[in-house]
Amino acid sequence: MTRDVVSVSTATPVSEIASLMAGKRISSVPVVGVDGSLLGIISEGDLIRRAEIGTERRRPWWRRIFADIEAEAADYVRSHGRKARHVMTPEVVTATEDKALPDLADIMEKRRLKRLPVVRGKRLVGIVSRSDLVKAVARHRAPLFAQPPTDDAILQDLMDRVKAVTPSHLVINISVHRGNVDIAGVLDSTAEREAVLVAVENTPGVRSIQNRLILRPRSVS
């Protein structure tokens, strides 16, 4: 999480916000009150329909007759308004400081977010970006063992992992000798075989893999 968050106020000019996002190379910026509370967020998507660059929505006159007047007015404000309060999205998806990385990743993936504000109560205390998750991957290191796992322990771990990624685990034969794995069997797809091999590679204690997995021949009708 980044604690030194770039933010703006509701009165910050849209042109200044656009310059800030472009200069900092960030995809969104939180809008905060004088007390630090999170009031909204402005993303790139909020700035692509703007009168200054001629991208505001243009509807034919006959559609305007049947248009929702309130929605039309709100759309006008978003495309012509000059302050942050005019273009910000007030309903913000947030996370709390105690959220684990898997939970943050789930939220960002499901909501298609590039940046996720972190709050303590209503106060903005940080932000998590996709680059923060990438950095976490870069920092990850495989655990070091004071006592390497035994072949039996590796085999059991392997069987559990393979069972989790394929329903064909019953027709896969695995043996382990001094951390060297021999795996053989018949699978239905290349993706399934790749998933099994990735599961094996990620198993602690595995030193090498003898891959004898083959694909089931497809019947020709």
Side-chain angles (χ1 to χ4, degrees):
M1 177 180 76
T2 301
R3 292 190 178 276
D4 186 15
V5 185
V6 175
S7 62
V8 299
S9 73
T10 55
T12 304
V14 169
S15 58
E16 185 178 319
I17 295 167
S19 296
L20 179 65
M21 292 170 65
K24 296 286 187 178
R25 296 183 178 181
I26 53 179
S27 59
S28 62
V29 59
V31 181
V32 299
V34 292
D35 59 351
S37 59
L38 181 63
L39 302 178
I41 195 164
I42 299 172
S43 69
E44 293 169 329
D46 294 316
L47 300 180
I48 63 174
R49 292 287 189 179
R50 292 293 302 174
E52 304 97 302
I53 56 176
T55 56
E56 73 273 31
R57 289 186 175 86
R58 301 178 187 274
R59 295 182 175 88
W61 66 268
W62 56 268
R63 288 193 60 184
R64 295 175 191 167
I65 297 175
F66 303 101
D68 181 327
I69 295 177
E70 186 175 354
E72 285 284 304
D75 196 36
Y76 179 85
V77 169
R78 291 183 70 83
S79 60
H80 290 74
R82 298 187 177 186
K83 305 294 184 182
R85 67 177 181 273
H86 297 135
V87 298
M88 72 180 192
T89 299
E91 298 81 19
V92 187
V93 179
T94 62
T96 54
E97 295 170 283
D98 59 350
K99 285 286 185 183
L101 279 181
D103 297 324
L104 295 174
D106 283 344
I107 295 171
M108 295 176 74
E109 182 181 44
K110 290 176 181 176
R111 298 299 188 106
R112 297 182 180 180
L113 302 175
K114 294 180 180 179
R115 290 163 64 84
L116 179 64
V118 180
V119 295
R120 184 186 302 148
K122 294 183 178 180
R123 185 179 179 83
L124 179 70
V125 294
I127 200 161
V128 175
S129 67
R130 292 184 180 182
S131 64
D132 291 324
L133 298 183
V134 172
K135 290 174 184 176
V137 174
R139 290 194 298 267
H140 178 74
R141 295 292 183 272
L144 299 177
F145 299 100
Q147 184 68 35
T150 65
D151 286 345
D152 287 342
I154 294 172
L155 179 59
Q156 185 58 58
D157 193 0
L158 267 173
M159 292 173 64
D160 291 340
R161 289 170 183 260
V162 170
K163 182 178 180 180
V165 299
T166 175
S168 303
H169 61 93
L170 293 176
V171 295
I172 294 177
N173 296 312
I174 306 173
S175 63
V176 182
H177 179 63
R178 295 183 178 178
N180 301 301
V181 176
D182 185 290
I183 183 167
V186 181
L187 298 172
D188 292 321
S189 70
T190 302
E192 191 178 10
R193 179 173 62 184
E194 193 67 20
V196 170
L197 292 175
V198 168
V200 176
E201 290 173 354
N202 285 333
T203 303
V206 171
R207 298 175 60 189
S208 69
I209 304 170
Q210 178 64 38
N211 172 23
R212 295 190 293 119
L213 295 169
I214 61 174
L215 299 181
R216 191 184 312 279
R218 295 187 179 277
S219 58
V220 180
S221 55

